[in-house]
Amino acid sequence: MAPSGRISQSVFDGSRLRVILLLDLYEGAQQQFLDAYELMRKQVASVPGHISDQLCQSIENPSQWLITSEWESAPPFLAWVNSEEHVETVKPMHSCVRDTRSMRYSILRETSPGQPASRAAASADAQVEPRVGDGVARHALTFTVKPGSESKVAEILAGYESPQAQVDETTRLRRTSLFMHGNRIVRAVEVEGDLLVALRHVARQPQVRAVEEAINPYLEQDRDLTDPESARVFFTRAALPAVHHVVADRPAPADLRRHALYYPAKEGQGMALARLLSHQDRAAAGDPDNPVHSSTVFQRDDIVVRLVDVTGDLDLDPVASLGLKGPGKAAELERLLDGAAVGVEGSLETERNINRLLSHADMLPVTDRSAHS
């Protein structure tokens, strides 16, 4: 049963996942594509959580292809698609493909031969009812800049002219929030309608292209945005997917403030840490006394970022602001968090360490732009 919060996205509901990849091939590249697919198919078959995949070709346009895959749940797929192994595996396909589009869906109902439509078989706590969303897609990018260049990069990223919010009749940029933590940049976007269309629209805007070129010399990972392969690899590695979003089922207070909190996980514990924070925010959404009104958790590898809209200052209720309300939650976070990376030694059960963690996790706001502002 869903809590009173309004959940628009979650990868932790236990349901199986269907991934759909649409591809438009260059003419004459079919055999090269098939060879690349065979290599990828053999590698992905051994990935934990993978169930099956299919390769399909359009009967109307032979250059259009479709790859579908089924996974036990979303977390193992995200771990695979965000890995360096995946980046290397799909490289041979890039020279064959003119355009791609990836879509991910939870399996809620299915019909088997000789059986009526039924709820998808999943774990006991699986989400098998439709989630209630708000029509907004959320995504983030994260990358690092050379130490010592942080103030210059922040100046560049804060000073550009916003692109036009209305992309087309159905797609609109709603909000862009940009934060820094040391030399790490996190840029989160909210889009009404088609996220991919919006991202491509933004990338074509002259003012955005100028900003991207201006920060190039300061990036730790070299890139050439005029080279499609270089740009593709950069943005693949920079992707920071939203794994959970929740909004409290009560009117939004007028004094909401947006913060980003950075939680570096111990090696291999990023998904578990994101799951803990997501469960905490689901509970917070049903608590009228909790200052957190909405939360989006982003996770890639061992990087976890929690974007929260809160009433009042974070330090008025540091436990709630960090997502640690409830017995034993601080100890759970302590088990998953890289304490050395956030400057915390000893137990997170102490008020001193809670305040130290909040101070360290609270990211520096660079810009926060809404379409209506």
Side-chain angles (χ1 to χ4, degrees), residues 94-268:
H94 293 165
S95 60
C96 315
V97 178
R98 182 184 293 109
D99 192 23
T100 63
R101 181 178 182 85
S102 177
M103 296 172 285
R104 296 101 185 247
Y105 294 87
S106 294
I107 300 175
L108 301 187
R109 302 288 190 275
E110 64 182 354
T111 301
S112 300
Q115 296 180 0
S118 63
R119 295 186 177 191
S123 59
D125 62 345
Q127 168 86 33
V128 292
E129 297 297 337
R131 289 181 289 273
V132 178
D134 54 3
V136 176
R138 295 169 173 84
H139 190 66
L141 296 174
T142 185
F143 50 89
T144 56
V145 297
K146 296 172 182 177
S149 69
E150 294 90 347
S151 59
K152 179 62 177 177
V153 172
E155 179 184 349
I156 295 171
L157 292 173
Y160 72 97
E161 180 184 352
S162 297
Q164 183 179 347
Q166 197 68 39
V167 177
D168 57 28
E169 291 183 357
T170 59
T171 301
R172 183 172 180 264
L173 296 170
R174 195 169 84 164
R175 190 168 183 174
T176 300
S177 307
L178 200 146
F179 296 85
M180 295 184 72
H181 188 280
N183 70 328
R184 178 169 295 282
I185 310 289
V186 172
R187 179 165 52 200
V189 297
E190 297 178 0
V191 173
E192 294 178 8
D194 194 312
L195 176 64
L196 182 59
V197 169
L199 295 179
R200 288 177 173 175
H201 163 80
V202 169
R204 290 194 296 264
Q205 302 310 300
Q207 64 269 43
V208 174
R209 295 177 71 93
V211 167
E212 297 290 354
E213 290 297 328
I215 67 172
N216 274 348
Y218 306 107
L219 298 179
E220 287 198 312
Q221 178 189 340
D222 291 334
R223 70 178 185 185
D224 178 3
L225 296 183
T226 65
D227 175 12
E229 176 67 14
S230 176
R232 183 185 292 110
V233 170
F234 177 84
F235 287 112
T236 297
R237 287 177 171 152
L240 188 64
V243 295
H244 191 270
H245 175 73
V246 65
V247 179
D249 192 19
R250 53 184 182 269
D255 59 343
L256 282 179
R257 300 179 187 177
R258 173 154 291 190
H259 296 265
L261 298 171
Y262 175 61
Y263 302 77
K266 291 179 180 176
E267 185 175 357

Side-chain angles (χ1 to χ4, degrees), residues 2-7 132 246-252 281-288 292-294:
S4 58
R6 180 180 55 178
I7 302 171
V132 178
V246 65
V247 179
D249 192 19
R250 53 184 182 269
D281 286 331
R282 288 187 68 184
D287 179 1
V292 177
H293 180 76
S294 66

Side-chain angles (χ1 to χ4, degrees), residues 70 221 245 260 346 350 358:
E70 187 174 328
Q221 178 189 340
H245 175 73
T350 68
L358 180 63

